[in-house]
Every structure is written in C-alpha cells, then in structure tokens.
Amino acid sequence: MATTLRIKQPENFSFDACLQFLDRGFDECLYHVNGKDVKRLIRLQSGLAFITVSSKEHMLIVEIEKENISQEDKSEVYAYTLDWFDLNRDLNPFYQLLKQHNATQSFPQDYFGLRLMGIVDLYEALCWCVIGQQINLTFAHKIKTRLVHKYGDKLSRDGIEYYCFPEPQTLQNIQRQELVDMQFSKQKINYIINISRAFCQGELHKPELLKLTKEQQMTKLTAIKGIGPWTANYVLMKSLRDMTCIAYGDTGLSSSLHTHFKTDKKPDKKIIDAVFKPFASWESYLNFYLWRSLTD
DNA sequence: GGCCAGGACTCAA
DNA sequence: TTGAGTCATGGC
C-alpha cells in the first residue's frame, strides 16, 4: 500500500543542496541517496514505513509505503519530513546576516537553500555523537554501520537493504563483547549503554526535553556520562532544533573558522563566541554552514 | 611511522 | 578549575 504527500517548499530551499549534503561522501547506512531522491526506513508509532523523498515543481514529494496507512501515519511522516529538512524556517534573516560579513558573504550563494538537516530521532543523534567522538568520520560511519546492521530493523527493497537505527531497549542489555568485536572502545560501549538506559527509564524523552529551556536541556543531557558539551550542543542543534548552538571543541568547526575567519587553529571558547556574536540566534546555522564548507 | 580524528572522563594539584 | 593522562584504532 502506498500513498503520496506533497509539501510546498519554502523560500530559500534547494532540494539538490540538501541532497548533496546527505550524500557528501560518507557511507551512510540509514538512508540512500540515488540521483534525485532519498529513501529511508523510518519508525512510526504504528510500525515501520518506507519513504522516498523527491522534488517536483517547488513541491517535496513524499511517497510512503506501509501496510494500512492511517491518517496518523501520514501526519507523522509529514512532521518527520518538515523536521528532517527544517522546512518551517525562514532563512532570509540568516542570509542577510551572512551577506553583511566578508568571511561569509558568499555562503548564501555557495550553499543556497541548504537546510540544517536534522536527526529526528534523539536517541540516534546521541549515539551517533558518542560513536563520532574523537575518531575520524570515515571510521565512525564504519562502526555505526556494523551496529545498525546487527541490531536495527531492516527492510529489503529493489535489492537494497534499508535500516532503522536500533532502539534503546535493544542496546541497553547488549553483550559488551559484541560491540568490542565491532571495534567500539570500552568507553563508547559504556556511554551507549548509559544513554540507552536513560531512555528506557524515561530520564530522556524528546517531547519532555522540548518543553525545557536550553540551559535545562544542557544540564539534563550532560548529567549522563558520555554526553559532554560537544555532544549536547550537537543534539540540541540537530534534534531539538535549538538555533543558538555552537559545537565547541569540534575539530571541524575549528578548522573551518581558521579558514574563513582567520582564527587560531584551535580557538578557545572566547574567540569562538566573538566570531559568532554578530550571528546571534543563527549560531547553529552558521556552525552547520561552516561544517558544510569543509566538504567543498 | 607519527599525528590526528565531528570528545569525554578521571584524577591530581 | 585547570592540565595531563587515558581511551583506542583507522586514515592519511
């Protein structure tokens, strides 16, 4: 059974720019970009759904394949797509700001219509951060793929296997040795189990976190071992959609700031804050665009 | 072969 | 509260 949603694209939106970001050279196991569309398996309240997102005449076309598609399913997929592509945001003020500064004036043209692509699943976002801590991204993708292939829900379609990120219930009681065999460090294993338990025990719950202030969210997240300032800022930006986050301590961000703003190779928080100050309320987007510039 | 990678923790002073 | 040590292994 299949159905199609049509979502009007906002101004300053480029599906191609978003797709290019999704397909920027890493082996990504949670979605497949194939020319002009992106396909993935997502988890709805009522079960798994396979979606294909493409673009046609200023509309996003979302095909849903699932058994017994209900109105609730459609609403969920609609909300998911809005969140994933950050469609409910007017980028005009951000682009105006970028144009006012020499270091960033070319961004609105270079990356026109690129949205801050989200990680809708907070649990996935946190685990992904732990995986990516302090190791290179190529290797990070490699071990994430091993984890997802072993514990994630799967669906085969046209000869390709699509996966959902595993659920906390699955990973909270995992045999540590199995992750060691996948080349996770003991630290990362502990962190992932900590985070999984926090979700299973209800300590972390995205809808509840969304009701809190940014400071409260940071406190709640960093109280869990394995979630430091970098990870907290990353998930606030990518999953909770706070637009004022800066990934302090991020090597890629440091490198990009060095390139565009001529800062030290490892700028401290004070220097970073000074650079970001003129972009107040758009810090997350500037951070994201600076990351994007690394893969040019 | 050595340095670094989308960090975070512990522990000493 | 600051700094050094530790984790761990692939990528280049």
Side-chain angles (χ1 to χ4, degrees):
Chain A
M1 191 170 161
T3 190
T4 301
L5 300 181
R6 299 167 64 81
I7 305 174
K8 190 172 185 322
Q9 296 174 9
E11 273 185 64
N12 297 316
F13 176 83
S14 162
F15 185 65
D16 286 341
C18 295
L19 223 51
Q20 196 185 340
F21 171 80
L22 291 176
D23 197 24
R24 66 195 188 286
F26 294 109
D27 264 340
E28 177 54 60
C29 59
L30 294 173
Y31 52 77
H32 285 265
V33 176
N34 183 12
K36 291 290 177 189
D37 62 31
V38 54
K39 299 172 189 287
R40 73 182 306 170
L41 188 62
I42 64 173
R43 193 178 286 115
L44 306 180
Q45 299 283 346
S46 64
L48 299 175
F50 180 72
I51 64 171
T52 303
V53 185
S54 59
S55 172
K56 191 176 182 184
E57 294 163 0
H58 301 291
M59 301 294 279
L60 271 189
I61 313 296
V62 187
E63 283 178 49
I64 313 170
E65 295 176 53
K66 178 181 180 296
E67 288 181 12
N68 304 319
I69 301 173
S70 66
Q71 197 54 47
E72 286 73 25
D73 292 335
K74 287 189 210 172
S75 302
E76 264 189 84
V77 172
Y78 182 76
Y80 183 95
T81 309
L82 290 186
D83 195 354
W84 186 20
F85 284 85
D86 198 34
L87 297 175
N88 275 343
R89 201 172 309 280
D90 176 11
L91 290 191
N92 262 314
F94 176 52
Y95 283 1
Q96 294 309 318
L97 274 177
L98 290 176
K99 286 177 189 167
Q100 288 170 22
H101 301 270
N102 288 335
T104 57
Q105 61 179 347
S106 70
F107 284 7
Q109 195 176 344
D110 296 344
Y111 311 124
F112 175 78
L114 173 63
R115 298 282 158 159
L116 205 172
M117 298 303 293
I119 301 177
V120 177
D121 178 355
L122 175 65
Y123 173 67
E124 175 196 327
L126 284 165
C127 291
W128 174 229
C129 283
V130 168
I131 291 170
Q133 284 167 8
Q134 187 54 21
I135 59 175
N136 68 73
L137 271 180
T138 305
F139 183 52
H141 278 91
K142 201 173 275 182
I143 61 177
K144 178 174 89 164
T145 298
R146 291 177 186 149
L147 183 78
V148 168
H149 283 188
K150 186 160 173 75
Y151 302 106
D153 285 318
K154 177 172 80 171
L155 176 123
S156 292
R157 178 163 246 80
D158 302 326
I160 300 178
E161 292 181 335
Y162 295 87
Y163 291 87
C164 274
F165 195 80
E167 296 188 89
Q169 295 85 334
T170 307
L171 297 188
Q172 70 163 340
N173 294 317
I174 203 167
Q175 292 298 317
R176 288 163 196 269
Q177 186 58 41
E178 296 185 335
L179 290 193
V180 170
D181 293 343
M182 295 179 193
Q183 293 181 286
F184 283 71
S185 68
K186 286 168 192 160
Q187 270 185 344
K188 286 190 195 302
I189 297 170
N190 284 333
Y191 296 164
I192 286 173
I193 290 175
N194 280 342
I195 291 166
S196 304
R197 290 188 177 152
F199 273 88
C200 290
Q201 292 164 3
E203 291 167 29
L204 284 184
H205 183 55
K206 186 169 172 179
E208 290 300 317
L209 276 173
L210 283 170
K211 295 177 188 165
L212 305 178
T213 65
K214 181 185 180 185
E215 284 66 32
Q216 291 170 323
Q217 292 171 342
M218 292 291 284
T219 304
K220 191 134 195 169
L221 287 168
T222 53
I224 294 165
K225 276 200 202 316
I227 303 179
W230 176 82
T231 297
N233 275 298
Y234 185 94
V235 301
L236 252 63
M237 178 189 305
K238 299 272 283 187
S239 196
L240 300 179
R241 293 308 196 174
D242 186 297
M243 288 296 112
T244 64
C245 294
I246 304 171
Y248 299 107
D250 184 273
T251 52
L253 178 62
S254 297
S255 159
S256 188
L257 286 171
H258 176 66
T259 301
H260 296 284
F261 291 91
K262 313 300 175 201
T263 51
D264 295 343
K265 292 204 169 173
K266 289 196 174 178
D268 60 24
K269 182 173 183 299
K270 228 174 181 178
I271 294 175
I272 297 175
D273 283 339
V275 170
F276 275 82
K277 193 164 184 200
F279 303 92
S281 84
W282 291 97
E283 291 91 337
S284 300
Y285 254 94
L286 177 58
N287 192 147
F288 183 71
Y289 271 46
L290 287 167
W291 274 332
R292 170 64 184 81
S293 77
L294 293 167
T295 50
D296 278 341

